[in-house]
Amino acid sequence: MSSLQAVHNIPEICAQLGVTDVVLSPGSRCAPLTIAFARHPDITVRTVPDERAAAFIGLGLAQTQRRTVALVCTSGTAGLNYAPAVAEAYFQQIPLVVFTADRPPEWIDQLDGQTIRQADLYGAHAKGTFSFPADASHPDAQWHATRLVSEAIGLAEQYPAGPVQVNVPLREPFYPKAGEELRFEPVKVTRELPGRSQLPASVLAELRDAIRTTSRVLVVAGQHPAAPDLLRALRQFSAAYQVPVVGDLIANLHLPAASDFDQRVRFLGRQDVFMAVPEPGLKEALKPELLITFGQSLISKALKLYLRQAKPAQHWHVQAAGAVADTFQSLTKVVRMEPADFFAAVLAEEQSSSAGSTGVTEALEPGAIPSATPVSADTLSVAAARAEGSGFEPSNPVAQDATRVAPAPTLAEPVRLTWPASARHLSAADTLAKAAYLKPWLAAENWATDFLQQFMQQPNQPFNEFTAIYQTLHQVPDRAALHLANSMAVRYANILGVPAGRMIEVFANRGTSGIDGCTSTAIGAALARPDRPVVLLTGDVAFFYDRNAFWHNYATPNLRVVLLNNHAGGIFRLIDGPRQQPELEEFFETRQVLTAENTARDFNLRYVAVSSFAELESALPTFFAPESGASLLEITTHSPTNAAFFEQYRAAVKSSFA
């Protein structure tokens, strides 16, 4: 038996446990791993020379396919270059198994080449580290090696998912002899079978009663992948209890819950607009008594700071397992369930206890959803006003005035959302109280929607990136995956949103919020789903920092990169602090004169450059056309102009509520 047989069995273990995508970076020490993965018939191997880009491409593959991806690199600093993506995977809860080739343990710290201390290389940013045996000739060592790889994959996939490291010390010779075939032996693997937590009926009843009897209940969603079962349960829950549901764009609440669902209906997502207004009455009207959260991070700093200031008496976070952050400094309960299961279970408990009673909602079959059950700012507020005669109307037509775009919402009269199975189990007093809290949220959302439409469409604008993004987002193809780079791209998009009713799933590296691998992650997504358009919206610093994302040999005809090039780190002109400093241009913006034309030519990307609204309008249809292939659209703007226009926007938000 080969001394490397235990290493050669690693791909077989991975394949049996469903890990069939591997991203590796070439090297000598990792040759036994490379050859074994490359020769396994059930493994797809992609080679990316730059380890940092390779790891983010692997993250994009895993994020898109929602299953574990393996990374393979050589010894020394190669594994360190995985660290940014490993940290991102840890905080986004994305499963990666990182195989780092290493020197045998006796040669660590002995001044041997490409040798560092690789054990526990990622520290607190990996779920675990496993040390593969340096000598697996003994049967017990072979059993240990097989068990160890199974455990590593199981840990990566165990909720909450995340990255694990398997450090593999290897001795020479690394390469099989000429003509020697590798054998993939039958191996015994250990499989993790997922389970789902449920709460006792008495606890669910207690939570349900608190939701029913508390007037000011608010649901806030953090970053979350698209999940139709969650959307259906959440819409039904919000209808039954008359609860506003708020989420950033990366929470993917904007997606339709099912193919037959009314795509005009949306949850609330304009908080970056209406939370920025200095209206004390509005802020007081929005203050929750019970906050229910799920998901990961928020983009909206305004909402985050508001909830820290307007601390609710109760804050429940719904998460099946793992550490829970007290983001708003108000956490009182951790509900150990999947969010979809929680919202469905609370409602099912209500339906079960109230079925057959007079005046309560009718019982539903398991999985059945009323034909229309969402909280809607634009559609249902009008229907509610008609049904209840409350006088609640959408915002008035807006004058063409960039400094005063829309009137503040009226907060006085109550409103009830009416549709099948909505709030019938609530008493009249409960319904009135909840409606009084629901109305300002709907009014604020409705105002913000009108405000943005009018402000972004005002005539005679200077060419600026904010409006350019607004126009671009309206042209993103349906069913696309939209990747948002960090810095201003993700912030602009969160303010503007995507057009209503579009099946556009949104991704962003908000685990660590770094710019370092945004392009690579999008390329991983394009490789994972060649049948789906992948659109990356990025800034110049993030783009040029990650140019090696394109350094590979795999076609991505479905990739579209929209590059906002203001020749600087433009975000520093938009935030208080650096923009007031004399060192702004040299030490914060770090101005650069690069364009992406050479990068596009080097990597065979179709290149289009625009610097006016007319050019942008002309370029977008062809750019997004399926037959255009991998393309890069460079939108060149002037950083001070961008800053001035965005400041005009912020002033308009505030003055509209004066």
Side-chain angles (χ1 to χ4, degrees):
M1 184 183 75
S2 168
S3 61
L4 291 172
Q5 188 60 53
V7 175
H8 295 162
N9 286 342
I10 290 175
E12 178 63 21
I13 301 167
C14 288
Q16 287 196 33
L17 293 176
V19 182
T20 57
D21 281 281
V22 176
V23 181
L24 66 83
S25 297
S28 183
R29 183 65 53 171
C30 62
L33 286 163
T34 299
I35 293 169
F37 275 114
R39 294 188 185 181
H40 196 285
D42 298 326
I43 302 287
T44 299
V45 180
R46 297 177 177 90
T47 303
V48 180
D50 184 317
E51 284 88 2
R52 182 172 57 80
F56 276 106
I57 288 173
L59 183 145
L61 285 163
Q63 182 187 63
T64 301
Q65 297 178 128
R66 302 191 187 183
R67 56 189 176 88
T68 308
V69 166
L71 306 176
V72 176
C73 71
T74 195
S75 62
T77 56
L80 286 173
N81 286 302
Y82 281 167
V86 169
E88 181 66 32
Y90 182 83
F91 287 110
Q92 269 201 68
Q93 301 174 1
I94 295 174
L96 297 175
V97 180
V98 181
F99 292 99
T100 52
D102 198 3
R103 288 292 195 275
E106 64 268 18
W107 286 105
I108 307 303
D109 292 330
Q110 300 306 307
L111 305 182
D112 210 19
Q114 284 189 277
T115 306
I116 64 172
R117 299 173 184 178
Q118 289 185 202
D120 198 21
L121 190 60
Y122 308 110
H125 293 116
K127 290 185 68 179
T129 296
F130 297 80
S131 295
F132 201 83
D135 182 357
S137 58
H138 192 279
D140 286 355
Q142 296 167 26
W143 160 74
H144 176 215
T146 302
R147 175 172 57 82
L148 180 148
V149 176
S150 290
E151 290 177 358
I153 295 171
L155 181 61
E157 296 175 346
Q158 186 184 100
Y159 188 93
V164 300
Q165 179 196 6
V166 181
N167 197 51
V168 185
L170 295 163
R171 291 191 175 94
E172 297 189 58
F174 302 141
Y175 302 93
K177 296 177 182 179
E180 180 182 349
E181 292 186 5
L182 265 63
R183 293 186 304 112
F184 299 106
E185 295 181 336
V187 292
K188 179 181 73 67
V189 298
T190 305
R191 301 180 186 276
E192 290 269 346
L193 300 180
R196 307 191 77 152
S197 301
Q198 294 293 332
L199 297 180
S202 60
V203 175
L204 283 172
E206 178 185 334
L207 299 179
R208 179 202 67 219
D209 289 344
I211 295 167
R212 178 174 53 79
T213 59
T214 303
S215 301
R216 293 169 166 250
V217 181
L218 174 67
V219 174
V220 173
Q223 182 171 18
H224 199 282
D229 59 337
L230 172 60
L231 291 177
R232 286 192 294 268
L234 193 54
R235 280 177 163 91
Q236 187 176 358
F237 170 88
S238 67
Y241 292 101
Q242 301 283 280
V243 171
V245 178
V246 183
D248 286 330
L249 190 59
I250 56 175
N252 284 297
L253 298 183
H254 57 278
L255 292 164
S259 59
D260 59 348
F261 197 84
D262 186 344
Q263 294 191 1
R264 295 171 298 174
V265 172
R266 305 180 64 160
F267 286 121
L268 311 184
R270 302 294 190 191
Q271 60 275 8
D272 257 346
V273 182
F274 61 76
M275 280 292 173
V277 305
E279 173 57 49
L282 176 64
K283 296 294 179 62
E284 183 62 30
L286 301 181
K287 184 176 179 179
E289 297 170 347
L290 167 57
L291 173 66
I292 304 174
T293 59
F294 67 91
Q296 299 166 26
S297 62
L298 292 179
I299 299 171
S300 177
K301 185 176 180 180
L303 178 60
K304 190 184 303 182
L305 294 179
Y306 171 72
L307 290 174
R308 288 176 185 169
Q309 180 271 326
K311 288 183 172 59
Q314 297 186 72
H315 172 195
W316 307 346
H317 185 75
V318 184
Q319 181 176 305
V324 173
D326 188 8
T327 304
F328 311 117
Q329 302 176 317
S330 59
L331 189 64
T332 57
K333 279 189 177 72
V334 177
V335 182
R336 290 301 188 185
M337 294 182 70
E338 293 284 353
D341 292 344
F342 168 74
F343 292 112
V346 170
L347 195 60
E349 182 77 7
E350 178 68 63
Q351 292 162 352
S352 175
S353 63
S354 60
S357 301
T358 303
V360 298
T361 185
E362 57 270 56
L364 298 175
E365 293 298 321
I369 302 297
S371 59
T373 59
V375 174
S376 162
D378 48 6
T379 304
L380 295 181
S381 57
V382 178
R386 291 172 180 168
E388 296 298 308
S390 64
F392 177 70
E393 299 291 344
S395 307
N396 296 327
V398 190
Q400 291 293 331
D401 180 353
T403 63
R404 188 174 183 82
V405 178
T410 303
L411 304 178
E413 303 89 350
V415 60
R416 178 184 173 190
L417 302 182
T418 55
W419 54 86
S422 296
R424 295 182 190 174
H425 61 277
L426 297 176
S427 69
D430 287 340
T431 300
L432 190 63
K434 287 180 177 293
Y437 180 60
L438 183 62
K439 180 178 179 180
W441 281 100
L442 294 178
E445 176 83 2
N446 207 37
W447 171 84
T449 299
D450 287 349
F451 170 89
L452 281 173
Q453 181 179 6
Q454 296 297 328
F455 184 86
M456 301 310 297
Q457 294 179 1
Q458 59 180 303
N460 304 318
Q461 298 180 32
F463 188 60
N464 69 90
E465 61 189 16
F466 193 26
T467 305
I469 291 175
Y470 174 79
Q471 295 181 358
T472 301
L473 288 173
H474 280 76
Q475 297 294 319
V476 172
D478 198 30
R479 302 189 179 278
L482 175 62
H483 281 250
L484 303 172
N486 285 312
S487 200
M488 282 310 296
V490 71
R491 289 172 171 83
Y492 284 143
N494 198 53
I495 292 169
L496 297 170
V498 296
R502 304 280 284 282
M503 289 287 293
I504 298 174
E505 187 175 4
V506 180
F507 301 86
N509 284 351
R510 297 302 291 179
T512 62
S513 302
I515 65 166
D516 36 6
C518 300
T519 305
S520 296
T521 304
I523 286 176
L527 292 170
R529 286 285 305 274
D531 59 316
R532 178 169 71 168
V534 174
V535 179
L536 170 65
L537 182 60
T538 186
D540 51 347
V541 178
F543 175 82
F544 291 120
Y545 192 89
D546 196 21
R547 274 185 293 188
N548 276 356
F550 301 103
W551 185 20
H552 57 80
N553 298 320
Y554 308 102
T556 54
N558 55 329
L559 178 68
R560 302 293 184 274
V561 179
V562 180
L563 168 60
L564 307 168
N565 192 352
N566 55 39
H567 295 290
I571 188 173
F572 292 107
R573 285 188 180 269
L574 304 178
I575 56 178
D576 290 332
R579 65 176 177 161
Q580 286 90 6
Q581 307 307 314
E583 295 86 359
L584 171 66
E585 289 195 9
E586 183 176 359
F587 297 104
F588 290 94
E589 278 197 317
T590 56
R591 293 191 59 78
Q592 49 79 23
V593 297
L594 298 172
T595 72
E597 185 173 9
N598 288 338
T599 301
R601 182 172 57 250
D602 288 344
F603 297 110
N604 198 29
L605 303 172
R606 183 177 179 275
Y607 175 74
V608 183
V610 302
S611 56
S612 70
F613 288 127
E615 290 175 345
L616 178 63
E617 183 179 5
S618 175
L620 284 173
T622 303
F623 173 72
F624 282 125
E627 60 272 14
S628 293
S631 303
L632 192 157
L633 172 64
E634 185 167 24
I635 301 173
T636 302
T637 60
H638 185 228
S639 190
T641 302
N642 295 330
F645 187 80
F646 197 68
E647 187 58 33
Q648 183 184 20
Y649 155 78
R650 292 197 289 200
V653 171
K654 295 176 182 179
S655 64
S656 294
F657 277 79

